[in-house]
Amino acid sequence: MAAFEAVVTVTLKPEILDPAGEATQGVLHHMGYAVRDLRIGRHIRLTVEAKDAEEAEGLAGQMAEELLANPVMETFRVEVSAL
Amino acid sequence: MAAFEAVVTVTLKPEILDPAGEATQGVLHHMGYAVRDLRIGRHIRLTVEAKDAEEAEGLAGQMAEELLANPVMETFRVEVSAL
Amino acid sequence: MRIGVVTFPGSNCDTDTLEALESLDVGVESIWYQDADLAQVDGVILPGGFSYGDYLRSGALAAKAPVMAAIRAQVEEGALPVLGICNGFQILTESGLLPGTLRPNRHGEFRCDWQTLRVVEASPFFPGLMPGELLRLPIAHGEGAFYVPPGTLATVFQQGEAWLQYVDESGLLNAVINPNGSMANLAGIKRGSVAALMPHPERAMADYLGSSDGRRLLSAWLKGIGQEGSYAG
Amino acid sequence: MRAEDVGLSQAEYQRILELMGREPNDLELGLYGALWSEHCSYKSSKSLLAHLPNRGEAVVQGPGGNAGVVRLAEGVEIAFKVESHNHPSYVEPVQGAATGVGGILRDIIAMGARPIAVADALRFGTDRPSMQLLEGVVKGVGQYGNAIGIPTVTGDIGFSSTYRANPLVNVMALGVRRPQEAIGAATAEPGQLLVLVGQRTGRDGIHGASLLASRDFDEESQELRPTVQVGDPFLGKLLMETTLQAVKEGLLGALQDLGAAGLTSAVAELCESSGVGAVLWLDRVPLREPGLTPYEIMLSETQERMLMVVPEGNLSRLQAICEHYEILATVIGEVTVGHQLIIHHHRVEEAHLNTTWLVGTAPRRPVDELWWDGLNSSATLDEALPEVPSFSVGLLLKVLSHLDVRDRWSVYRQYDSMIQTRTVLGPGHDAAVLKLRGLEPGIALTVAGPGRWTAVDPYAGGAGAVYRALSALAAQGASPLGLTDGINAGNPDKPESYRAMAMVIRGVADAARATGVPVTGGNVSLHNETQGEPIWPTVIVGAVGRHPRPEEPVRDRLSEVGERLFLLNPAPLNWGGSAAAWTTGQPTAYPRVDGDRARRVLEAVRDWVAAEHPRAMRVIGDGGLGATLVRLWVASEPSLGIEVQLAEKSPQEKTLRFYNESPLQWIAVLAEDDVDRAIAWWTRESLAYAELGRVTESGLCIVDGRYQWAYSDVMAVWHQAYKEVEA
Ligand SMILES: Nc1ncnc2c1ncn2[C@@H]1O[C@H](COP(=O)(O)OP(=O)(O)O)[C@@H](O)[C@H]1O
Ligand SMILES: [Mg+2]
């Protein structure tokens, strides 16, 4: 068993409204920045014990599916690295 | 000018408490996952116009400094890619 | 005397604050966040509640509003008295007019309740509010834990910036009574002519609402503005 | 597209063919599907709801509008209604609950009223996943209410495993307006413009009404899941201010919120209630993502939108207000003479329908009057008493930790209950009390509806919910102005579910009629059924009353040693539907009470309280007399105690007295000096009472001199947060 760092990036599906993103973008416009399509997601990092990277990735994916992301409105991506 | 995608990842400094992260980790434990050090940050993605990647990165960094991250408790990282 | 109450997009305690001031017989003016003209007012309140839905971080988006640049200029220039309530506190730390920041509550929940507070230090901006005095005021916030980086808390106290603390009903500091995990139980901070607190004095203007201590606090602030000469010190 | 794809039966499709004289195209079929859905047309319940009494002195607007309206005082009117958001809250608890709050607030705003209070009534299962759902829902209610700045001043929570896959999220909202600000959907006139204000339209919640909320939950509905609607309280606040400003300036000809079935139901209901037609230019509707079809635009349930009907001359002023608040306003159509709804998209006529067909002639299930008449006299359920446990110290602790009885504090402290500075009594009391500035009478409001009662007798439980709500008003000396009811039940196509729903409605109707309080609006949520298991039929009754002196509400705690405790209107000993009965596993039928007598008791108690202002009052609620005594006690100084003597002799009878939850009972706390006068009053009004005991300085609760509980023991069970449920 070894410790792995997993980063689960959870983002809203493109068709889902992101009120926080819109408000933030609006203020950036007021500040003079020409940005668009600003969307705010979650960056979740955790440490998990597994026998190899593959297993760690599997575990993190499972956690994302069951808890960290809500599949009706979000998608996620998992990246794993050894610690 | 070209469009670039910038991802600003904002994370809490290590010494800052993360109640949401703790709560999430607690639920994962209940569900039987042995995780630790779970921390939740923000994953902000946006599109910005710039003449090259370097300028795009500079702009995103500026936005992060001025608005997207609070330097008292957060740090950030910027990644830029062409669209 | 005229007091301006700023309305940011989505502000929701602005009306309560205007009404509280009116009940104290002071002239009031509602200031829209895009206005940069503060010539008509002797003091400004940044009200509580939410602004911009408190998206991103509470107070972060409002801190970039044009009116905040004007407030900053006047604060730096002379002594525009500014009082931040709850969200107003968050806006003031986000804009750097007050030290530190307000983290999400320790327990991760929004918390609405009654709370006893103790005055840490007297201030010329609040004549009559004496050190050790207790106030009972409502709190309502999700991000109210005052935080300054390690090693800087002592400075806050040394410089007289620690203003109000959460205490138990007998006035004692204790960790259990701390509603949000705030450092040193701090509930209010002041710096120069700027003061701010997480609790809501405008909600405690009559006994039938549970307390009149908000009336005491706001009256003291108005009195301080009335005696403007005292700021020089 | 086929009829089934939009939730219509073959018979309904045939009816459409008859009406139109041709086949509808896909868009037209979609509109029928939405408007003839259970959720929008009330096809199964409308004929039942028609039996609810809805007239009264104070009624300004009965059912039919977006919310009922009653008169509080000269120049002040109150709009209020309850709405459900059950299915969406199961799919996404935070957003489902948040958009539920946003939705009912827009109903109130659509009447020209400024929302000043929210009350949430929640029902969940009892397992750990249900507690997580609860956490999400509570977060969602708070997220929207707190951010938009409307206090959540009361609510209620109940539990049963039947709500596990069908949690209930019913939200009531209340607003105030001046009569000259009255507006609604019934006053649109030909030539006026249809202006869509607020959020850009996306693919959110398409088919939410027709499929998600109008069918049982099963494997199939997983696939039909519409895109989740996300609430934006920030935009909601801007939209609210914009709308109320436009109303105040008299700019609008009519006003309608966009709720279930979005633009479709907003336009159709507006046309139908105003007796006009409309032309829509869908290509003008601002979109959040490109490429939405006319079908999607018409059925999208994107939140934070309002439909304003504006005389052309007022348009520029309206646009100026919208610009100030940085909110979008777009002319998307025009009101026309007649009843035709014509929908264009890029100059192509995409649909041409008669709005009367869409709304007025929507099918409804008829009610056999004989059958209806029989509902309340149906053979009373088994009245034989089961084995009732003996009185014991342990039973009270068990009842106090029952999920339905516990302190709701862990939930309501997450809600801003004081914003707007009118809250004199907020959550944690039988009724909330609000004081309006510059007005003598205040508002008392409450919600009630234990599923435990309707579960064992839908009729008596429905009536009991009304009595319970009215008892809370009476305990404040407040006069009821109106009721709103949220009916939640299973699949109406199943005879037992349909009958249960009908019995609940009958119970509400009979109690409302007997007490003379009109029902001015409400909501029906059916198909709360998953894989064949329906929820307990559940009604949420909201009551609004005029409080005689809001600055001095009647308290609900003990204030000093020597105060005397009385049980007002003690009920015949009964076990039915009580938390104790469910705890020990042997619930029996909930008691039925005589309506005329209920009215007399309620009026007598209200008049007595208003005139004599007792030290404290508390309605006998969840957990019966025992739990109610505890609530009084723990709200007081811990040094105070209670000493009670029960008149009942046998240990079983004591248990029945201590835990029965029959309606229309109160604990009254009196100053020693007031006791004689109170007894004289009660006697004159033939109000029965039993002396319970007195307030002591022991810090203990003692019954019959031998059963005793310490403050800390009681708090340890009663004050637990819901998270601490056993797995
Ligand atoms: N249980 C009920 N009791 C009384 N009136 C009801 C009930 N259910 C619905 N109504 C009335 O029927 C009308 C339509 O309700 P609804 O479709 O929920 O309105 P909205 O579309 O604004 O949400 C409203 O006027 C409502 O008050
Ligand atoms: Mg409506």
Side-chain angles (χ1 to χ4, degrees), chain D residues 42 49 52 63-66 81 83 107 485 487 519 521-524:
Chain D
Y42 287 85
L49 298 176
L52 294 169
N66 285 309
K81 182 167 172 267
E83 210 22 300
D107 273 330
D485 64 320
I487 305 286
V519 181
N523 181 260
V524 177

Side-chain angles (χ1 to χ4, degrees), chain C residues 9-13 16 19 32-34 50 52-53 55 108-112 114 138 140 202-203 208-209, chain D residues 139 146-147 149 232-234 237 324 326 413-421 423-424 435 437 551 723:
Chain C
S11 282
N12 60 23
C13 294
D16 296 353
E19 280 167 357
W32 185 234
Y33 80 111
Q34 284 173 328
F50 284 65
Y52 290 94
Y55 294 139
E109 287 180 359
F110 188 94
R111 192 53 48 90
C112 176
W114 284 92
E202 82 284 5
R203 299 184 184 184
Y208 70 80
L209 291 176
Chain D
K139 199 165 226 85
N146 298 348
D232 183 352
F234 168 48
K237 165 77 173 161
H324 174 77
E326 298 175 52
R413 66 182 172 167
Q414 298 182 55
Y415 302 148
D416 192 334
S417 56
M418 303 184 222
I419 193 165
Q420 299 195 14
T421 63
T423 311
V424 182
K435 157 104 184 94
R437 263 169 290 276
E551 294 186 24
K723 284 177 201 168

